[in-house]
Amino acid sequence: MSKELRDRQLAAFCDVLDQVSPDAPTLCEGWDAHDLAVHLWTLKHDPLAWPAMDVDRLADFGARRAARVRARWSYPELVAQLRHGGGGIACMAGDRFEGHRHALGEYVVHTEDVARPNRVERPAPDAPLEDALWRRLRVAAWMLHRRRTPGLVLEVPDGRSAQVTRGPVRTVVRGAPIELMLWVYGRTAVADVVVR
């Protein structure tokens, strides 16, 4: 998976943001499109705010940092900042540790977070994106489900499958890589998958 593919997905995210209003709903409960733009800008540029994303006691601090970003730029200006700032996400591991794949997952999921509830048409993923998502999925599923979904197997329609968490097989989730990505990231209500 190349950085070019990651950067292309960032551009797709920005394209979707450009098609909706700042207060457009998203799949992230309580967040609108502007909130997601601020979130991505924070991941890319604001290391002081990163701990607030995982530590509940720092939520107010994170909210204040986000409010500063909103005050600094209008929604269109913020989308332009994202578009022209490169695809790397500073808080994620560098390319040596496949950080570009982690960033790809963030961009794909957040693009769908905005596109699906607002009925923004998206082209079907091409083969390079599907392949990159399949590779990213196995790592993301292990990270996000290793404790809560033991014995998890992911399958794609072409027959590839991978057991991503330990234990006897208990849950098999089948779907296209982008749909599996949504399911792995917790968008289970909208992911077009079969769970058995």
Side-chain angles (χ1 to χ4, degrees), residues 42-55 89-92:
T42 299
L43 286 175
K44 290 166 67 61
H45 301 289
D46 190 4
L48 287 177
W50 297 341
M53 294 179 188
D54 291 321
V55 180
I89 296 182
C91 74
M92 296 175 182

Side-chain angles (χ1 to χ4, degrees), residues 10-64:
L10 170 61
F13 174 66
C14 292
D15 290 346
V16 170
L17 289 178
D18 279 339
Q19 294 179 61
V20 301
S21 64
D23 61 353
T26 73
L27 298 178
C28 298
E29 188 175 339
W31 281 17
D32 59 23
H34 202 164
D35 293 321
L36 271 178
V38 169
H39 171 68
L40 260 296
W41 189 92
T42 299
L43 286 175
K44 290 166 67 61
H45 301 289
D46 190 4
L48 287 177
W50 297 341
M53 294 179 188
D54 291 321
V55 180
D56 290 341
R57 292 178 311 195
L58 298 176
D60 288 342
F61 175 74
R64 288 193 302 274

Side-chain angles (χ1 to χ4, degrees), residues 110-131:
H110 289 322
T111 298
E112 297 302 316
D113 282 339
V114 178
R116 291 192 184 205
N118 294 290
R119 297 194 167 111
V120 175
E121 291 293 322
R122 299 278 309 123
D126 60 17
L129 180 57
E130 292 255 309
D131 185 56

Side-chain angles (χ1 to χ4, degrees), residues 16 50 56 67 69-70 72 91 110 133 141 143 145 156 180 195:
V16 170
W50 297 341
D56 290 341
V69 175
R70 280 180 177 259
R72 184 173 179 186
C91 74
H110 289 322
L133 289 176
M143 291 171 55
H145 290 269
V156 289
L180 291 172
V195 181

